[in-house]
Amino acid sequence: VLGLGVSGRAAARLALARGATVVAVDSNESLIPLEHDPLFGGQHLINLRTELGPCNIQSLYNTDRLVVSPGISLEKYNLTAVMQSGVQVMSELDFAAESIPNTVKIVAVTGTNGKSTVTTFTGQILHHAGIQAFVGGNLGKPLSAAALQCLSSSKTESELVAAVVEVSSYQMEIPNRHFQPSVAVVLNLTPDHLERHKTMQNYAMMKCRVFSHMDPSHLAVIPSGDQLLKEAAYHCGSQATQAWIGGLPGVQLDSEATQATIVVPTSGMVSQIHLGKLKTLGIHNAYNAGTAALLTLGLDLGVCVEAVNNAIKVLKPPPHRMQIVIEDEKGILWVDDSKATNVEATYAGLEGLRGRPSIVLLGGISKVLNKEGQIGFEHLVDCLKYHKAVITFGASGKKIKQTLDEAGVSIPCVEVTSMRDAVSMAKCFAKH
């Protein structure tokens, strides 16, 4: 097992439970060896060895299987050459999927932005409908944890019916053999992780590999207007039935984003989902909820439209995603959208608040988008005109302010040093 973060450790536990002898490898010498971890105690220790620090790459050629954590790029251990030598190299996701019973229906959610929210919403709808579902993957618990649960659960325990899995592009770099979702979605595709994937075409192909083992009884969902994703989905060799975000069959919202029409082509189901009582902020979250409803109904687990509509009223986004922190004594609403770690995610959040002029705090360390050192914040100028002020802060605060000023931002834009300063200034600016 290469890489001993959350995914790697879960894969090591699963491998031991399946009867393997495990060599756990990580370049970080300060990690605690798995043999000393209480989770790995007991009868398995004889079959477990941890190797920390520089890796003897030649030893990788002598393994029966190599399970790779998503944080490990193919270049790091020359894994492409290891694969070409005939060693079975697998992602943690695929290794876990091999142990998930065929009776468990898998929903796979990927895309540049919104993955965690749609994964969370889909899990909440299933749970609200009384469906026993695992929710995790790139979000929270790795899929190996669900596989371990399936291996260890007795007949008397309630059996897992579905698994809702957030999938990152990193988890798709090694082609999968066993990961076969019943329903999968690529929510969107905007420039991100290009330091690893190099081009947008490669990035699109990695995302669409999630469809590669699906057949016509399965549902593959992509945005209706994204030509790059359409081409990548075609070239991945999937046989899945297609549906669309923003088109039919699929999910289509009305002009007010309060009603979603859903057509599931694999079952013929047509339904209306009411989004008006959604408690989360932003139009993009209406799309996220509508997409989650489509994925749930696409599983064909007998969840009725009434149950979906009831669940919509109580959906809660994951932390730091348009999360309401507090409405203070002055009647000011404070919103945490700090998981918007790229310009496109920030744009979506600001557009979703167009009817509620806001003071926008932009800061931290920005991602450089190209060789010229551009950071892309000029793309926010158009939607910022509907808001009150911008306060920039942190390591990239000066660069963000400079970029916005040069792009002609039309609202006050002020730079401060720290987030604490930004919050204090926002409090002074804000009115009921």
Side-chain angles (χ1 to χ4, degrees):
V1 177
L2 283 182
L4 300 180
V6 176
S7 295
R9 295 163 77 84
R13 287 186 68 202
L14 176 60
L16 289 168
R18 291 175 61 180
T21 296
V22 175
V23 180
V25 178
D26 198 290
S27 59
N28 185 355
E29 296 182 44
S30 64
L31 289 180
I32 297 172
L34 299 190
E35 296 91 320
H36 300 157
D37 187 324
L39 285 174
F40 290 85
Q43 72 275 22
H44 296 315
L45 286 182
I46 195 171
N47 296 328
L48 174 64
R49 184 174 84 252
T50 304
E51 295 182 358
L52 302 176
C55 174
N56 177 8
I57 292 179
Q58 206 55 42
S59 68
L60 303 181
Y61 290 86
N62 300 324
T63 59
D64 296 301
R65 287 194 187 193
L66 203 55
V67 180
V68 183
S69 298
I72 306 286
S73 68
L74 295 180
E75 287 81 19
K76 183 164 186 180
Y77 296 102
N78 200 12
L79 291 177
T80 302
V82 177
M83 282 191 278
Q84 290 170 347
S85 76
V87 175
Q88 188 175 353
V89 181
M90 309 176 76
S91 66
E92 176 272 330
L93 188 77
D94 204 33
F95 181 63
E98 190 179 18
S99 296
I100 301 282
N102 291 334
T103 53
V104 177
K105 291 194 172 185
I106 293 176
V107 180
V109 182
T110 191
T112 307
N113 299 309
K115 297 186 294 294
S116 296
T117 301
V118 172
T119 300
T120 301
F121 282 175
T122 306
Q124 288 175 3
I125 295 171
L126 287 168
H127 289 150
H128 195 270
I131 302 293
Q132 184 79 6
F134 166 86
V135 181
N138 191 53
L139 164 78
K141 291 182 180 178
L143 189 60
S144 288
L148 197 58
Q149 178 186 333
C150 291
L151 283 181
S152 58
S153 63
S154 66
K155 296 285 185 185
T156 56
E157 292 177 346
S158 56
E159 290 187 2
L160 203 61
V161 175
V164 188
V165 186
E166 180 184 316
V167 179
S168 77
S169 55
Y170 293 176
Q171 291 170 306
M172 293 283 114
E173 283 185 331
I174 300 168
N176 292 309
R177 300 181 185 185
H178 306 283
F179 187 64
Q180 185 186 53
S182 297
V183 181
V185 60
V186 181
L187 297 168
N188 45 56
L189 194 77
T190 57
D192 206 4
H193 305 305
L194 296 185
E195 75 287 347
R196 184 144 157 180
H197 299 308
K198 310 306 179 192
T199 69
M200 285 297 288
Q201 285 74 17
N202 284 346
Y203 185 31
M205 285 301 296
M206 292 303 114
K207 289 293 189 187
C208 288
R209 277 183 177 174
V210 76
F211 304 136
S212 56
H213 294 300
M214 297 171 71
D215 64 41
S217 69
H218 299 145
L219 189 64
V221 184
I222 59 174
S224 61
D226 196 313
Q227 193 58 37
L228 186 58
L229 280 177
K230 284 181 182 178
E231 290 172 8
Y234 173 78
H235 288 298
C236 78
S238 173
Q239 300 297 311
T241 299
Q242 282 198 325
W244 313 102
I245 299 171
L248 298 176
V251 56
Q252 193 165 46
L253 271 58
D254 66 2
S255 59
E256 301 296 317
T258 58
Q259 186 100 349
T261 300
I262 290 178
V263 177
V264 182
T266 45
S267 66
M269 174 185 271
V270 179
S271 53
Q272 298 294 318
I273 303 298
H274 308 297
L275 303 172
K277 294 189 177 177
L278 192 64
K279 288 188 169 69
T280 54
L281 292 170
I283 295 169
H284 63 300
N285 273 324
Y287 277 95
N288 289 337
T291 302
L294 170 64
L295 301 180
T296 301
L297 296 172
L299 280 177
D300 200 20
L301 288 172
V303 178
C304 67
V305 176
E306 184 182 6
V308 174
N309 275 317
N310 287 334
I312 292 289
K313 301 172 191 173
V314 294
L315 292 180
K316 293 181 181 177
H320 315 299
R321 294 162 177 87
M322 296 302 287
Q323 181 182 14
I324 295 174
V325 180
I326 191 172
E327 185 165 354
D328 67 19
E329 69 281 355
K330 289 168 62 180
I332 309 301
L333 192 68
W334 293 80
V335 180
D336 173 10
D337 194 33
S338 58
K339 278 296 284 184
T341 58
N342 57 46
V343 171
E344 286 74 18
T346 305
Y347 188 97
L350 294 176
E351 276 290 285
L353 292 173
R354 184 180 282 204
R356 306 181 73 156
S358 305
I359 294 158
V360 183
L361 281 59
L362 297 173
I365 301 174
S366 64
K367 296 178 179 179
V368 176
L369 292 182
N370 56 30
K371 293 175 183 175
E372 288 74 42
Q374 292 177 325
I375 57 176
F377 280 76
E378 64 276 7
H379 298 299
L380 297 180
V381 167
D382 186 53
C383 67
L384 282 172
K385 67 187 178 187
Y386 299 103
H387 295 286
K388 288 185 176 178
V390 179
I391 303 170
T392 72
F393 65 94
S396 297
K398 186 174 183 178
K399 180 74 171 173
I400 295 169
K401 176 174 166 39
Q402 180 186 345
T403 301
L404 292 175
D405 285 342
E406 290 175 354
V409 67
S410 59
I411 60 175
C413 183
V414 182
E415 181 202 351
V416 297
T417 303
S418 67
M419 186 167 188
R420 182 178 291 277
D421 296 336
V423 169
S424 296
M425 182 166 283
K427 205 169 184 180
C428 294
F429 281 178
K431 295 176 182 175
H432 189 282

Tab-separated table of all heavy atoms in Angstrom, residues 323-365:
chain	number	residue	atom	x	y	z
A	323	GLN	N	-22.228	27.998	4.141
A	323	GLN	CA	-22.762	27.634	5.455
A	323	GLN	C	-23.088	28.904	6.242
A	323	GLN	O	-22.248	29.794	6.387
A	323	GLN	CB	-21.721	26.801	6.208
A	323	GLN	CG	-22.163	26.342	7.584
A	323	GLN	CD	-21.046	25.570	8.290
A	323	GLN	OE1	-19.897	25.596	7.880
A	323	GLN	NE2	-21.407	24.861	9.339
A	324	ILE	N	-24.311	28.997	6.734
A	324	ILE	CA	-24.686	30.152	7.558
A	324	ILE	C	-24.018	29.996	8.922
A	324	ILE	O	-24.240	29.021	9.633
A	324	ILE	CB	-26.215	30.253	7.706
A	324	ILE	CG1	-26.851	30.545	6.335
A	324	ILE	CG2	-26.588	31.334	8.715
A	324	ILE	CD1	-28.362	30.529	6.333
A	325	VAL	N	-23.163	30.960	9.266
A	325	VAL	CA	-22.462	30.932	10.545
A	325	VAL	C	-23.364	31.505	11.634
A	325	VAL	O	-23.573	30.886	12.681
A	325	VAL	CB	-21.144	31.737	10.464
A	325	VAL	CG1	-20.405	31.716	11.794
A	325	VAL	CG2	-20.257	31.188	9.354
A	326	ILE	N	-23.892	32.703	11.376
A	326	ILE	CA	-24.746	33.370	12.360
A	326	ILE	C	-25.463	34.538	11.694
A	326	ILE	O	-24.964	35.103	10.719
A	326	ILE	CB	-23.900	33.885	13.565
A	326	ILE	CG1	-24.794	34.348	14.717
A	326	ILE	CG2	-22.947	34.987	13.122
A	326	ILE	CD1	-24.011	34.691	15.990
A	327	GLU	N	-26.628	34.877	12.200
A	327	GLU	CA	-27.236	36.174	11.905
A	327	GLU	C	-27.086	36.980	13.185
A	327	GLU	O	-27.687	36.638	14.204
A	327	GLU	CB	-28.700	36.034	11.490
A	327	GLU	CG	-29.290	37.359	11.064
A	327	GLU	CD	-30.603	37.217	10.298
A	327	GLU	OE1	-31.007	36.088	9.998
A	327	GLU	OE2	-31.212	38.262	10.011
A	328	ASP	N	-26.237	38.020	13.149
A	328	ASP	CA	-25.840	38.682	14.396
A	328	ASP	C	-26.890	39.678	14.887
A	328	ASP	O	-27.963	39.837	14.288
A	328	ASP	CB	-24.460	39.322	14.253
A	328	ASP	CG	-24.426	40.496	13.279
A	328	ASP	OD1	-25.489	41.063	12.979
A	328	ASP	OD2	-23.315	40.856	12.814
A	329	GLU	N	-26.552	40.361	15.997
A	329	GLU	CA	-27.514	41.262	16.653
A	329	GLU	C	-27.877	42.460	15.781
A	329	GLU	O	-28.907	43.093	15.988
A	329	GLU	CB	-26.952	41.726	18.008
A	329	GLU	CG	-25.749	42.674	17.954
A	329	GLU	CD	-24.433	41.945	17.680
A	329	GLU	OE1	-24.430	40.700	17.620
A	329	GLU	OE2	-23.407	42.637	17.517
A	330	LYS	N	-27.048	42.771	14.768
A	330	LYS	CA	-27.350	43.877	13.855
A	330	LYS	C	-28.176	43.414	12.655
A	330	LYS	O	-28.478	44.200	11.766
A	330	LYS	CB	-26.043	44.496	13.357
A	330	LYS	CG	-25.280	45.290	14.411
A	330	LYS	CD	-23.868	45.626	13.946
A	330	LYS	CE	-23.850	46.497	12.712
A	330	LYS	NZ	-22.448	46.812	12.282
A	331	GLY	N	-28.515	42.123	12.613
A	331	GLY	CA	-29.259	41.592	11.475
A	331	GLY	C	-28.376	41.301	10.276
A	331	GLY	O	-28.844	41.206	9.143
A	332	ILE	N	-27.052	41.148	10.513
A	332	ILE	CA	-26.102	40.837	9.437
A	332	ILE	C	-25.934	39.329	9.352
A	332	ILE	O	-25.683	38.662	10.358
A	332	ILE	CB	-24.719	41.487	9.705
A	332	ILE	CG1	-24.868	42.979	10.014
A	332	ILE	CG2	-23.783	41.248	8.524
A	332	ILE	CD1	-25.517	43.792	8.937
A	333	LEU	N	-26.070	38.794	8.151
A	333	LEU	CA	-25.897	37.357	7.915
A	333	LEU	C	-24.440	37.081	7.544
A	333	LEU	O	-23.917	37.676	6.595
A	333	LEU	CB	-26.820	36.898	6.786
A	333	LEU	CG	-26.980	35.390	6.593
A	333	LEU	CD1	-27.731	34.771	7.766
A	333	LEU	CD2	-27.714	35.089	5.295
A	334	TRP	N	-23.763	36.207	8.299
A	334	TRP	CA	-22.377	35.827	8.035
A	334	TRP	C	-22.360	34.440	7.407
A	334	TRP	O	-22.930	33.499	7.961
A	334	TRP	CB	-21.565	35.830	9.330
A	334	TRP	CG	-21.397	37.196	9.925
A	334	TRP	CD1	-22.300	37.882	10.675
A	334	TRP	CD2	-20.257	38.052	9.792
A	334	TRP	NE1	-21.808	39.111	11.029
A	334	TRP	CE2	-20.551	39.239	10.503
A	334	TRP	CE3	-19.034	37.933	9.146
A	334	TRP	CZ2	-19.653	40.307	10.579
A	334	TRP	CZ3	-18.132	38.983	9.238
A	334	TRP	CH2	-18.437	40.151	9.940
A	335	VAL	N	-21.719	34.316	6.242
A	335	VAL	CA	-21.728	33.063	5.484
A	335	VAL	C	-20.292	32.585	5.258
A	335	VAL	O	-19.428	33.365	4.842
A	335	VAL	CB	-22.432	33.252	4.109
A	335	VAL	CG1	-22.431	31.952	3.318
A	335	VAL	CG2	-23.856	33.750	4.310
A	336	ASP	N	-20.054	31.313	5.538
A	336	ASP	CA	-18.732	30.699	5.351
A	336	ASP	C	-18.748	29.867	4.071
A	336	ASP	O	-19.398	28.833	4.004
A	336	ASP	CB	-18.417	29.819	6.570
A	336	ASP	CG	-17.142	28.995	6.401
A	336	ASP	OD1	-16.397	29.228	5.429
A	336	ASP	OD2	-16.900	28.118	7.249
A	337	ASP	N	-18.026	30.337	3.057
A	337	ASP	CA	-17.887	29.571	1.806
A	337	ASP	C	-16.407	29.302	1.538
A	337	ASP	O	-15.945	29.322	0.401
A	337	ASP	CB	-18.522	30.346	0.639
A	337	ASP	CG	-18.721	29.478	-0.595
A	337	ASP	OD1	-18.990	28.267	-0.440
A	337	ASP	OD2	-18.590	29.994	-1.716
A	338	SER	N	-15.660	29.026	2.612
A	338	SER	CA	-14.202	28.931	2.479
A	338	SER	C	-13.728	27.677	1.753
A	338	SER	O	-12.552	27.557	1.425
A	338	SER	CB	-13.541	29.011	3.864
A	338	SER	OG	-14.014	27.989	4.717
A	339	LYS	N	-14.631	26.745	1.464
A	339	LYS	CA	-14.245	25.607	0.619
A	339	LYS	C	-14.269	25.974	-0.861
A	339	LYS	O	-13.955	25.143	-1.706
A	339	LYS	CB	-15.158	24.401	0.879
A	339	LYS	CG	-14.759	23.576	2.087
A	339	LYS	CD	-13.393	22.913	1.929
A	339	LYS	CE	-13.456	21.703	1.007
A	339	LYS	NZ	-12.151	21.014	0.924
A	340	ALA	N	-14.642	27.202	-1.167
A	340	ALA	CA	-14.513	27.692	-2.547
A	340	ALA	C	-13.044	28.024	-2.771
A	340	ALA	O	-12.609	29.149	-2.548
A	340	ALA	CB	-15.392	28.914	-2.769
A	341	THR	N	-12.255	27.038	-3.178
A	341	THR	CA	-10.803	27.202	-3.269
A	341	THR	C	-10.332	27.501	-4.689
A	341	THR	O	-9.140	27.459	-4.961
A	341	THR	CB	-10.081	25.943	-2.748
A	341	THR	OG1	-10.522	24.812	-3.511
A	341	THR	CG2	-10.385	25.707	-1.283
A	342	ASN	N	-11.260	27.777	-5.598
A	342	ASN	CA	-10.866	28.261	-6.925
A	342	ASN	C	-11.859	29.331	-7.367
A	342	ASN	O	-12.916	29.520	-6.744
A	342	ASN	CB	-10.752	27.103	-7.944
A	342	ASN	CG	-12.038	26.309	-8.077
A	342	ASN	OD1	-13.124	26.884	-8.198
A	342	ASN	ND2	-11.939	24.996	-8.058
A	343	VAL	N	-11.513	30.031	-8.413
A	343	VAL	CA	-12.305	31.191	-8.843
A	343	VAL	C	-13.717	30.776	-9.257
A	343	VAL	O	-14.697	31.461	-8.954
A	343	VAL	CB	-11.587	31.943	-9.984
A	343	VAL	CG1	-12.490	33.013	-10.596
A	343	VAL	CG2	-10.311	32.592	-9.452
A	344	GLU	N	-13.836	29.627	-9.943
A	344	GLU	CA	-15.158	29.203	-10.427
A	344	GLU	C	-16.113	28.920	-9.273
A	344	GLU	O	-17.298	29.257	-9.332
A	344	GLU	CB	-15.023	27.965	-11.331
A	344	GLU	CG	-14.456	28.252	-12.710
A	344	GLU	CD	-12.952	28.522	-12.689
A	344	GLU	OE1	-12.288	28.151	-11.689
A	344	GLU	OE2	-12.438	29.086	-13.667
A	345	ALA	N	-15.612	28.271	-8.222
A	345	ALA	CA	-16.458	27.987	-7.059
A	345	ALA	C	-16.866	29.285	-6.370
A	345	ALA	O	-18.016	29.436	-5.919
A	345	ALA	CB	-15.715	27.078	-6.085
A	346	THR	N	-15.942	30.239	-6.304
A	346	THR	CA	-16.244	31.543	-5.702
A	346	THR	C	-17.300	32.272	-6.535
A	346	THR	O	-18.248	32.854	-5.988
A	346	THR	CB	-14.960	32.393	-5.622
A	346	THR	OG1	-13.961	31.651	-4.920
A	346	THR	CG2	-15.209	33.704	-4.907
A	347	TYR	N	-17.146	32.209	-7.857
A	347	TYR	CA	-18.113	32.840	-8.770
A	347	TYR	C	-19.512	32.268	-8.543
A	347	TYR	O	-20.498	33.009	-8.462
A	347	TYR	CB	-17.673	32.619	-10.214
A	347	TYR	CG	-18.473	33.368	-11.250
A	347	TYR	CD1	-18.022	34.585	-11.750
A	347	TYR	CD2	-19.682	32.858	-11.739
A	347	TYR	CE1	-18.755	35.285	-12.701
A	347	TYR	CE2	-20.420	33.554	-12.682
A	347	TYR	CZ	-19.951	34.764	-13.168
A	347	TYR	OH	-20.681	35.464	-14.094
A	348	ALA	N	-19.591	30.943	-8.425
A	348	ALA	CA	-20.902	30.296	-8.228
A	348	ALA	C	-21.558	30.779	-6.941
A	348	ALA	O	-22.762	31.061	-6.907
A	348	ALA	CB	-20.731	28.783	-8.199
A	349	GLY	N	-20.773	30.895	-5.876
A	349	GLY	CA	-21.322	31.364	-4.611
A	349	GLY	C	-21.819	32.799	-4.693
A	349	GLY	O	-22.910	33.123	-4.204
A	350	LEU	N	-21.027	33.669	-5.346
A	350	LEU	CA	-21.414	35.073	-5.464
A	350	LEU	C	-22.630	35.254	-6.367
A	350	LEU	O	-23.511	36.066	-6.084
A	350	LEU	CB	-20.237	35.893	-6.002
A	350	LEU	CG	-19.020	35.996	-5.077
A	350	LEU	CD1	-17.888	36.738	-5.759
A	350	LEU	CD2	-19.391	36.669	-3.766
A	351	GLU	N	-22.688	34.499	-7.450
A	351	GLU	CA	-23.861	34.559	-8.344
A	351	GLU	C	-25.116	34.103	-7.603
A	351	GLU	O	-26.195	34.647	-7.801
A	351	GLU	CB	-23.632	33.674	-9.568
A	351	GLU	CG	-22.845	34.340	-10.676
A	351	GLU	CD	-23.642	35.445	-11.352
A	351	GLU	OE1	-24.557	35.156	-12.134
A	351	GLU	OE2	-23.341	36.630	-11.083
A	352	GLY	N	-24.952	33.086	-6.741
A	352	GLY	CA	-26.091	32.585	-5.975
A	352	GLY	C	-26.642	33.607	-4.994
A	352	GLY	O	-27.784	33.499	-4.550
A	353	LEU	N	-25.824	34.621	-4.650
A	353	LEU	CA	-26.252	35.668	-3.721
A	353	LEU	C	-26.541	36.987	-4.434
A	353	LEU	O	-26.531	38.044	-3.807
A	353	LEU	CB	-25.162	35.894	-2.665
A	353	LEU	CG	-24.934	34.754	-1.672
A	353	LEU	CD1	-23.720	35.045	-0.812
A	353	LEU	CD2	-26.161	34.544	-0.801
A	354	ARG	N	-26.803	36.924	-5.724
A	354	ARG	CA	-26.971	38.153	-6.505
A	354	ARG	C	-28.076	39.039	-5.923
A	354	ARG	O	-27.984	40.254	-5.931
A	354	ARG	CB	-27.278	37.834	-7.963
A	354	ARG	CG	-27.357	39.077	-8.827
A	354	ARG	CD	-27.660	38.770	-10.266
A	354	ARG	NE	-26.510	38.296	-11.010
A	354	ARG	CZ	-26.388	38.391	-12.325
A	354	ARG	NH1	-27.361	38.933	-13.037
A	354	ARG	NH2	-25.318	37.927	-12.935
A	355	GLY	N	-29.119	38.470	-5.398
A	355	GLY	CA	-30.220	39.260	-4.831
A	355	GLY	C	-29.943	39.727	-3.418
A	355	GLY	O	-30.784	40.398	-2.808
A	356	ARG	N	-28.772	39.380	-2.864
A	356	ARG	CA	-28.440	39.778	-1.498
A	356	ARG	C	-27.051	40.420	-1.518
A	356	ARG	O	-26.051	39.748	-1.300
A	356	ARG	CB	-28.443	38.561	-0.581
A	356	ARG	CG	-29.750	37.786	-0.644
A	356	ARG	CD	-29.731	36.606	0.300
A	356	ARG	NE	-29.838	37.052	1.694
A	356	ARG	CZ	-30.305	36.269	2.667
A	356	ARG	NH1	-30.696	35.033	2.402
A	356	ARG	NH2	-30.372	36.707	3.892
A	357	PRO	N	-26.953	41.724	-1.813
A	357	PRO	CA	-25.648	42.390	-1.919
A	357	PRO	C	-24.788	42.134	-0.679
A	357	PRO	O	-25.240	42.332	0.448
A	357	PRO	CB	-26.018	43.868	-2.061
A	357	PRO	CG	-27.390	43.852	-2.653
A	357	PRO	CD	-28.068	42.658	-2.047
A	358	SER	N	-23.558	41.709	-0.899
A	358	SER	CA	-22.721	41.217	0.191
A	358	SER	C	-21.373	41.913	0.239
A	358	SER	O	-20.905	42.477	-0.752
A	358	SER	CB	-22.489	39.701	0.013
A	358	SER	OG	-23.708	39.007	-0.091
A	359	ILE	N	-20.750	41.864	1.408
A	359	ILE	CA	-19.349	42.251	1.564
A	359	ILE	C	-18.550	40.965	1.431
A	359	ILE	O	-18.782	39.997	2.167
A	359	ILE	CB	-19.127	42.924	2.921
A	359	ILE	CG1	-19.889	44.253	2.943
A	359	ILE	CG2	-17.643	43.137	3.183
A	359	ILE	CD1	-20.186	44.751	4.323
A	360	VAL	N	-17.629	40.928	0.471
A	360	VAL	CA	-16.967	39.688	0.072
A	360	VAL	C	-15.529	39.683	0.577
A	360	VAL	O	-14.760	40.596	0.260
A	360	VAL	CB	-17.002	39.524	-1.464
A	360	VAL	CG1	-16.369	38.198	-1.870
A	360	VAL	CG2	-18.434	39.626	-1.975
A	361	LEU	N	-15.168	38.662	1.343
A	361	LEU	CA	-13.808	38.502	1.850
A	361	LEU	C	-13.073	37.488	0.973
A	361	LEU	O	-13.481	36.327	0.899
A	361	LEU	CB	-13.823	38.017	3.302
A	361	LEU	CG	-14.088	39.054	4.401
A	361	LEU	CD1	-15.436	39.737	4.203
A	361	LEU	CD2	-14.029	38.405	5.777
A	362	LEU	N	-12.024	37.958	0.289
A	362	LEU	CA	-11.252	37.088	-0.600
A	362	LEU	C	-9.813	37.032	-0.094
A	362	LEU	O	-9.173	38.076	0.040
A	362	LEU	CB	-11.251	37.627	-2.029
A	362	LEU	CG	-12.593	37.712	-2.753
A	362	LEU	CD1	-12.417	38.420	-4.093
A	362	LEU	CD2	-13.180	36.330	-2.973
A	363	GLY	N	-9.300	35.840	0.170
A	363	GLY	CA	-7.927	35.797	0.675
A	363	GLY	C	-7.344	34.408	0.749
A	363	GLY	O	-7.893	33.454	0.207
A	364	GLY	N	-6.203	34.332	1.459
A	364	GLY	CA	-5.483	33.068	1.548
A	364	GLY	C	-4.408	33.012	0.477
A	364	GLY	O	-3.862	34.032	0.074
A	365	ILE	N	-4.134	31.814	-0.006
A	365	ILE	CA	-3.140	31.616	-1.060
A	365	ILE	C	-3.873	31.230	-2.338
A	365	ILE	O	-4.559	30.213	-2.382
A	365	ILE	CB	-2.132	30.508	-0.686
A	365	ILE	CG1	-1.399	30.882	0.618
A	365	ILE	CG2	-1.121	30.295	-1.814
A	365	ILE	CD1	-0.495	29.797	1.139
